[in-house]
Structure formats: structure tokens, C-alpha cells
Amino acid sequence: MRNKLYLLLVLLSLFNSVHVSSQEKYISLGAHEHHEHIGQMEHPLSGIQIHNIVVALSKSASIKVDGPTLLGSKGEDFEWVTINLRNAEPSQDDWVGVFSPANFNESICPPQTSKEEQSGAPFICTAPLKFKFANYSTSKYTKTGKTSLKFRLINQRGDFSFAFFSGGLENPKLISVSKYVAFSNPKAPLYPRLALGKSWDIMTVTWTSGYSIDEAVPFVEWGWKGQVQQRSPAGTLTFHRNSMCGSPARTVGWRDPGFIHTSFLKDLWPNVEYTYKLGHLLSDGSVVMSKQYSFKSPPFPGQESLQRIVIFGDMGKQERDGSNEYADYQPGSLMTTDTLIKDLDNIDAVFLIGDLPYANGYISQWDQFTAQVEPITSRVPFMIASGNHERTWENSGSIYNGLDSGGECGVPAETLYYVPAENRAKFWYAADYGMFHFCIADTEHDWREGSEQYKFIEQCFASANRHKQPWLIFAAHRVLGYSSNEWYASEGSFEEPMGREHLQKLWQKYKVDMAFFGHVHNYERVCPIYQNQCVNKETSHYSGVVNGTIHVVVGGGGSHLSQFTTLNTRWSVFKDYDWGFVKLTAFNQSSLLFEYKKSKDGKVYDSFTISRDYKDVLACVHDGCEPTTLAN
């Protein structure tokens, strides 16, 4: 229903705005967004009509926890819980929701301000964390009325209960509630997220806990592996319901995010193995510590060593317990996650360029996502970009006016993840890793010539010392370069309107090696290109002068896949309709290996190499050098 209303609003806006140029319409309305939101992109939790829930507790139905109700007694971050169901009148649309806090009735609803609101207040006003249909494990449930389900719970700063419903998702009737279960320390510091700092010798550590600054002082205990450890303080942030821009983030999707702490580990030595623990000093003098983690510090900028960077977009999240709200939502997410974990010893940093969990306003899903990627984020820097599902919301200052963030308008992403931006609400930044210089743009804010972000992009390119950091990489979420995606082709743009038109002269002038984009859920490599023309006929090895930027769409991180157009785009070198990621390996300042790997097996399906000398970077190309004078 929301999609139909949104499309109607788009059509009405088009009729009422004939004086606006076609490109401006596209930008302000997010015209192609409806392609991505029909069916597959509706958040599964949005199918549950929370406000329609009625209480119909029945003695002929029961839901019981099979096993201990105290979880994590040995410090575990997650536990598997088995639920036994019984219903004398079973139906195929019976389902079980996991709620947290466990007391999920009207007592935790936001206060109703008027008598009319009070009279119509719902019994439940918050969505479950996840759900399963009762017949998930066996089709015999509808005959026997008995079954069991397994749920994987993560420590999420609250207790849990399991609610048994009949009537399906549209007219749910609460027929039974389980006893509560809880983790032994629900406030424990969890899910560390490493990120590069504003200089090469800083590593930032961000984590989540249930401890406010009034209860405990957060810190990180860290140092060289096996040596004396030191402590560094951490700052504490959070956000509130009134920080959200709209529904469901302000309504049924709201859940308290806890407290987010960030510490800056400074004066690192290059290429050294460090260990660290997350800690909280409580007011009574006791200390709560996490388990021990480790990371390798970044190399000195320009240092020649083996350096391996992974880049992809549009990851999403999945549930390892098979909770079927995600059966068709982000089907490749766990494949990508697990393949990266297996190869983590051969990865130095990861860039996820937008659309992280697709929480779409269901705040609890951010915890689920941080837990899913924790084996990666706790060991290597995990750098993110802002995508439409993080930021876009109508009348919120985004260049697009869609509803993709579910009312989050960027707040959870910019709070839960650190990036070395001057202003994290403006999600553009520069990052260095050894021989790489990264310029990360924010496509949800204006990038066009004359804008604040455009000036940053040029400054970021200009600041790269190509003698020491020869590999200059641009990355952003939406495709500002080239894509053979079906909906871009139907619009006749093969890109976001005004993307390359405004940025290509910067890519050319500063001889950007590669530009990476997500948003389109597939893989595509484009030839070295300038002004829509391939400037190099090679496909597997590039050498000599940098006369055009190689564009790569790598949005197959896990979300449902995007179809290619049937049109023949002559600049396209390799396409793949599958989930995967790119790995860049810099051997030295003259040799780079590019590999596209599929998530299903981690094998290479597309690759090329670049070899060149510094003089090749300096060489003038079309529109790439300032005009010379007549003086000798």
C-alpha cells in the first residue's frame, strides 16, 4: 500500500513540476527507487500489523522454553534457544515472534497525549526482533498441533520472551507467551568495530553496551601482543526516538540502541600486532571486561608491503537460525560474511560502500548486523559509506526524497560506525592505507560542481601523493559512473543523473585509478573510460599512462540481485549476476592485482593487473594537465 501511495505522489509531483528539468526531477524524487522497493525490498518486519494485535490467550495453546532461561553464563555473546509449541487448533499461518524487552505490552508504548489516542492505544506498539512461522520445522504441525523451533539470540541489552500468534501477520491474535529468558550480563560491552582514524597511526574502536556514563567509565585496554597493556578513554553516544525522522523508526520499529562508545588508539607503530579488550569501570570500583581481540596496525603511508583491500556494497543481513523473515530479503549476506571470515588472514581492510543491514527503520536490526559482521570488524578496519537505506528520507536534507531509510535519516549509521569525516552527518571522508589513498563520497548529499562535497572530493584527490601512494581510489554508494543495470538503461542514463557529468573531469584531472559503486546489486567492470569512450582496449593487463578511470559496480554484497539490461553497452568488460566482492592487492608502488570473487566459493571470476611507473602518473592526458606557458 505504501509503495502505491508513493508512486502516486511521484506522478502527481511530475505533473505539478513541469518547470523543473528532467534531471532535477530525477534527483529530487529519487525516480528509480520504486524499482528496488517493489516486493523484495519491503522489510519483512513491515508485514506484521502490530497495531492490529489482539489478546486472545488460550489454555489450549502453549509456548515453552526448552532449557535454561539464563543465557551466556560462560560469557557467550549468543545462545541457541529451543521453543516447544502446542496448539489444539493449529493453522499454517500461526507464527512466533521474539520480543525484547520481554514485557512487550502497552506499558512500553510511548505516552499518548490525547484522549482519542489513549482510547485507541494498541496493546503492542513495537515490532519483534524476528519471527518464524510455526510450521517452519515440519509441515506436520497443522495436523499434530505440536512442534519445536530454534532461535539464535544475541546479547541485546534486554530480556526476551516468545509470543505465539494465530491469525497470520495481518490479523495476529496473541494466544500464548513464554517465560522470560535473559543473558547473565545484558549490558556487556560487545561487537567491536575497528576503523581507520584521521591519520595513519590511529585505530578507532567503537562498540555497544548497556552502560551509560552515569553507571560506568568506558575504556580500551590495549598494547603490543604479549606486552604491557595501556588504557585509553572512550567517548559515549546514543540516540533517541525523537532523533528519528519518521515511521517505522519513530513508531513500531523503535528499540533503544544502548550506548555506543568510541576510543582512539594513538601513536601506533606500523605493521604491529596489537591486542585489545573493551572495558567499563563501574561506580563500585569493579571492572567489566570483554574477551580479547586483536588487529594489525596500518602501514606507514607509502610503505611498500603486501596490502589487501576488500570492497563491496549492499550487504544486508541474514539470520543463522533461518528466521524466515529473511528468506528472500538478503539471500547472499551470510555467504559474503562467511567467505570473508574464512579469508580474513589475507585481508587488511574492508570497505562496505553503503546499504549495510537494510534495517529500514527497524532499529533492532542494527544490533543483529553488528553481531553478524563482528568477526570481521573486530580484526580489520571496517570502513563504510552512506547508502540510500541509511540516509534517504523526504525533506531531511538528502538530495533524494524517497523513504528508503524507514525514517532513520542516517542517525544509526553515523552513530554506530566511525568514519574519519569532519562531520559524520556529512558522510564523506579520506582514508589512507599504505600505498592506497581512498576518497569516499556520500551520494545522499549533493556532489555536483560548486557543492560543499564537490570541493571535498577535489581536495581529497589533490592531496594524494602519487609518488608514495600511487593507487587512488574513489568510492560511493549510488552509481555516479557507469552501469548496465536494467532500470538505469530504462531511464536512458546508465548512471545516476548528473553523476559522471560533474565528476568525470575530476577523475580525469587527478588520474583516479578506479571508481567503485554499489546500489545496483550485481557486478560489472567497465573499461578505462573518459567521456563515454574506452581509452584502452586491454582487458586483463593495464600499463603505462593513466588515461582513464576504471569503473566498477560491486553491489552484490548480499541483497537480492539486480537484472542487467539486454542492451549492449560497449564499455562493459565483464558482468556477473551473482553475489561477490572485489579484492585489491598492492604488491608495491608499481604493481596492483584486481580480483572479483564470488561469495559462494571465494574463487576468482574476473581479474586484471596494473603495472606502471611514477612517470606514467605524471604524464599529461586529455583534460588531465594544466596548459603550459610559452616561457622556456
Side-chain angles (χ1 to χ4, degrees), residues 192 221-227 229 273-278 289-295 374 378-379:
E221 188 172 276
W222 64 286
W224 284 21
K225 185 176 182 179
Q227 302 295 315
Q229 307 289 287
E273 186 80 11
Y274 286 87
T275 58
Y276 68 99
K277 292 181 179 180
L278 317 172
M289 299 294 293
S290 74
K291 61 185 177 184
Q292 182 172 278
Y293 304 91
S294 66
F295 67 86
E374 184 261 1
S378 63
R379 284 187 54 192

Side-chain angles (χ1 to χ4, degrees), residues 91-371:
S91 171
Q92 64 180 2
D93 59 3
D94 293 350
W95 59 280
V96 173
V98 182
F99 286 85
S100 179
N103 182 21
F104 55 82
N105 62 26
E106 70 273 11
S107 65
I108 65 169
C109 294
Q112 309 296 318
T113 56
S114 68
K115 290 183 178 180
E116 183 179 342
E117 286 179 325
Q118 291 171 6
S119 63
F123 175 72
I124 298 176
C125 56
T126 182
L129 307 181
K130 60 173 78 174
F131 69 91
K132 279 186 182 181
F133 285 99
N135 62 5
Y136 176 81
S137 298
T138 174
S139 59
K140 295 180 180 179
Y141 165 74
T142 53
K143 294 181 179 179
T144 65
K146 296 180 180 179
T147 190
S148 62
L149 299 173
K150 287 187 176 182
F151 287 96
R152 186 180 186 270
L153 302 185
I154 63 167
N155 192 345
Q156 213 165 341
R157 304 172 311 282
D159 50 7
F160 304 84
S161 62
F162 301 86
F164 194 7
F165 295 93
S166 65
L169 304 182
E170 294 186 356
N171 295 289
K173 298 178 179 61
L174 179 63
I175 56 177
S176 187
V177 181
S178 76
K179 56 186 176 183
Y180 297 178
V181 299
F183 280 84
S184 58
N185 182 9
K187 295 186 175 184
L190 295 170
Y191 317 127
R193 308 177 283 280
L194 299 173
L196 301 171
K198 290 186 177 180
S199 66
W200 73 270
D201 59 349
I202 297 175
M203 186 71 78
T204 70
V205 185
T206 300
W207 71 96
T208 304
S209 86
Y211 293 112
S212 72
I213 55 174
D214 296 327
E215 295 177 280
V217 177
F219 63 89
V220 175
E221 188 172 276
W222 64 286
W224 284 21
K225 185 176 182 179
Q227 302 295 315
V228 176
Q229 307 289 287
Q230 61 179 306
R231 287 184 177 181
S232 291
T236 299
L237 297 172
T238 189
F239 55 92
H240 305 282
R241 188 192 296 265
N242 59 8
S243 303
M244 304 292 97
C245 290
S247 180
R250 287 179 73 102
T251 56
V252 296
W254 173 253
R255 186 179 189 271
D256 191 303
F259 299 95
I260 295 89
H261 316 280
T262 299
S263 182
F264 298 86
L265 314 186
K266 301 179 179 180
D267 298 324
L268 301 178
W269 292 49
N271 297 98
V272 170
E273 186 80 11
Y274 286 87
T275 58
Y276 68 99
K277 292 181 179 180
L278 317 172
H280 291 266
L281 175 62
L282 305 185
S283 55
D284 64 3
S286 61
V287 175
V288 175
M289 299 294 293
S290 74
K291 61 185 177 184
Q292 182 172 278
Y293 304 91
S294 66
F295 67 86
K296 188 178 77 169
S297 55
F300 187 81
Q303 172 187 313
E304 287 196 350
S305 59
L306 189 65
Q307 296 160 16
R308 302 149 301 183
I309 309 295
V310 164
I311 305 176
F312 62 95
D314 306 78
M315 188 175 201
K317 61 165 281 280
Q318 278 180 285
E319 295 294 339
R320 294 189 184 276
D321 59 15
S323 295
N324 56 355
E325 80 271 30
Y326 276 92
D328 298 310
Y329 190 49
Q330 317 291 346
S333 180
L334 279 176
M335 280 197 298
T336 300
T337 301
D338 293 342
T339 299
L340 293 179
I341 292 171
K342 289 177 184 177
D343 194 41
L344 208 51
D345 289 339
N346 300 305
I347 297 171
D348 296 309
V350 172
F351 284 76
L352 172 47
I353 53 175
D355 284 5
L356 281 65
Y358 292 82
N360 293 13
Y362 291 90
I363 307 303
S364 65
Q365 306 305 288
W366 281 96
D367 282 320
Q368 304 285 340
F369 178 77
T370 57

Side-chain angles (χ1 to χ4, degrees), residues 616-629:
D616 299 320
V617 181
L618 296 177
C620 289
V621 296
H622 184 69
D623 292 344
C625 282
E626 299 297 333
T628 57
T629 70

Side-chain angles (χ1 to χ4, degrees), residues 196 309 311 351 353 383-386 419-421 427-433 435-443 447 453-466 469-478 480 503 506-507 510-517 549 584:
L196 301 171
I309 309 295
I311 305 176
F351 284 76
I353 53 175
M383 312 304 295
I384 71 167
S386 180
V419 295
F427 229 79
W428 52 79
Y429 63 93
D432 293 311
Y433 194 91
M435 295 175 284
F436 290 97
H437 184 69
F438 295 92
C439 298
I440 310 300
D442 177 359
T443 56
W447 64 82
Q453 182 171 196
Y454 184 92
K455 295 172 183 176
F456 158 77
I457 293 170
E458 179 160 26
Q459 188 277 330
C460 185
F461 290 160
S463 67
N465 179 350
R466 301 301 289 277
Q469 292 182 295
W471 311 116
L472 179 56
I473 308 297
F474 176 81
H477 179 65
R478 298 178 190 252
L480 303 182
L503 294 174
L506 293 184
W507 295 326
Y510 295 100
K511 302 179 179 69
V512 174
D513 291 292
M514 280 174 265
F516 288 91
F517 309 100
T549 298
L584 301 177

Side-chain angles (χ1 to χ4, degrees), residues 38 47 51 89 123 143 148 157 200 204 233 252 372 417 534 564 592 595:
I38 294 175
H51 291 163
E89 300 177 357
F123 175 72
K143 294 181 179 179
S148 62
R157 304 172 311 282
W200 73 270
T204 70
V252 296
Q372 177 178 313
Y417 286 85
C534 293
F564 289 103
L592 181 73
E595 297 173 300

